[in-house]
Amino acid sequence: MLNDILSGNETGDLACGDRQKDESKEQGFKAACGSPSSRFLQAELELNVHLGGLTFSDPVRYIYNPLEYAWDTHRCYVETYCQPGQKILFLGMNPGPFGMAQTGVPFGEVKSVVDWLKITGEVGHPQNEHPKRRITGLACTQSEVSGARFWGFFRKLCGEPARFFQYCFVHNLCPLIFMSDSGKNLTPPELPAAEREALLRLCDIALCQVVEALNVSMVIGVGRVAEQRARRALSAAGVNVRVEGIMHPSPRNPQANKGWEDIAKAKLEELGVLSLLNNTRANQHSP
């Protein structure tokens, strides 16, 4: 199962993650075991264990898990920015090939991650890499449009990361990236139905754990799929949290290409979030 993907064996189904035995992952945050960041990381580690038991068939030929090979930078992001008092969780679906797959940060376009978020750390490699989708980490020169739009918008709005993360955090429902034999990115909705549901069922459980650990009052799905999945999962689990959504900044979305920032700004104003984040009014609002 798992060994098929790690060894590059192309017979049989693929398992979802590198099952590396890295004890440092489990130790780095134990000293602050009661903090939101440590509870968040623990939920992710538990999800990784469960995801390791899944298998995927065609069209999936490659699976990357940045919570394995990019744990160093991911932990830097979480421990730096996951803080008590955050009330809004922006929720993406899963990593993009030139975003979180490279940096370990949701919507993690490299320039935004390095220049604005100031994330540092080592990024390794999945054990079975597609020759056209190599991981170069924070040295990646390819920009991810969705991530550049997402973080660029909040940089313009907030000025400094501290303002954004005073109220908000950003997370992906699923940590895995899937690719076909050609290297084409496959989103979870493109997976075979039974395999998709097995995957998302585990991710739903982890989402509920994350929302309760962070004690947020609103989840904002970035894109309709993330919004709908969050609403269903949190409602079914009886988690009392408001679920809303904003348009995904993907270049595949013609509306986003016509002016995603204006659309996102209008929606966040409607939700009462914009005034919290607007840097020009930073001294006029309390959490």
Side-chain angles (χ1 to χ4, degrees), residues 81-108:
Y81 292 118
C82 185
Q83 305 164 2
Q86 292 169 325
K87 294 302 180 185
I88 301 158
L89 180 67
F90 285 93
L91 184 72
M93 192 64 202
N94 74 310
F98 302 109
M100 186 172 177
Q102 300 290 339
T103 65
V105 177
F107 294 95

Side-chain angles (χ1 to χ4, degrees), residues 2-246:
L2 177 65
N3 289 336
D4 289 335
I5 188 169
L6 297 186
S7 66
N9 181 354
E10 297 191 358
T11 62
D13 292 346
L14 297 185
C16 74
D18 306 344
R19 299 305 313 140
Q20 299 162 318
K21 300 293 185 181
D22 185 355
E23 292 183 358
S24 65
K25 295 179 184 178
E26 310 222 1
Q27 295 170 351
F29 54 89
K30 282 186 178 177
C33 62
S35 69
S37 63
S38 66
R39 294 196 300 270
F40 182 92
L41 290 169
Q42 186 60 46
E44 291 189 308
L45 289 174
E46 290 174 3
L47 175 61
N48 267 359
V49 171
H50 294 298
L51 292 177
L54 299 180
T55 57
F56 297 89
S57 56
D58 286 337
V60 177
R61 302 306 300 158
Y62 295 83
I63 304 167
Y64 293 4
N65 184 352
L67 298 190
E68 297 274 357
Y69 62 82
W71 179 258
D72 198 24
T73 50
H74 179 74
R75 190 174 70 180
C76 177
Y77 162 71
V78 174
E79 292 184 341
T80 302
Y81 292 118
C82 185
Q83 305 164 2
Q86 292 169 325
K87 294 302 180 185
I88 301 158
L89 180 67
F90 285 93
L91 184 72
M93 192 64 202
N94 74 310
F98 302 109
M100 186 172 177
Q102 300 290 339
T103 65
V105 177
F107 294 95
E109 188 257 350
V110 174
K111 286 185 179 180
S112 299
V113 167
V114 173
D115 296 343
W116 195 52
L117 299 180
K118 307 295 185 185
I119 298 301
T120 60
E122 296 295 323
V123 177
H125 297 270
Q127 291 190 27
N128 187 24
E129 280 186 277
H130 193 287
K132 295 181 180 179
R133 293 289 180 264
R134 298 293 186 189
I135 297 300
T136 55
L138 300 183
C140 179
T141 58
Q142 177 77 40
S143 177
E144 183 183 71
V145 174
S146 294
R149 286 175 175 170
F150 182 87
W151 288 116
F153 169 68
F154 288 112
R155 183 176 190 172
K156 187 183 301 183
L157 187 65
C158 300
E160 296 297 328
R163 177 122 196 108
F164 176 80
F165 289 104
Q166 181 179 353
Y167 304 102
C168 306
F169 195 63
V170 184
H171 175 53
N172 274 332
L173 177 67
C174 173
L176 305 181
I177 178 169
F178 302 91
M179 285 170 279
S180 68
D181 191 56
S182 69
K184 177 182 180 292
N185 183 41
L186 301 170
T187 62
E190 296 174 284
L191 303 179
E195 296 172 3
R196 177 181 67 241
E197 285 308 306
L199 166 71
L200 294 180
R201 194 158 43 243
L202 294 174
C203 295
D204 288 349
I205 294 169
L207 174 64
C208 295
Q209 293 173 336
V210 161
V211 167
E212 292 187 321
L214 301 184
N215 195 31
V216 296
S217 56
M218 184 188 299
V219 174
I220 300 178
V222 184
R224 189 166 304 233
V225 176
E227 176 190 354
Q228 292 176 343
R229 194 77 200 189
R231 180 172 286 112
R232 188 170 98 180
L234 293 164
S235 174
V239 178
N240 184 23
V241 64
R242 179 181 176 189
V243 179
E244 300 287 352
I246 61 171

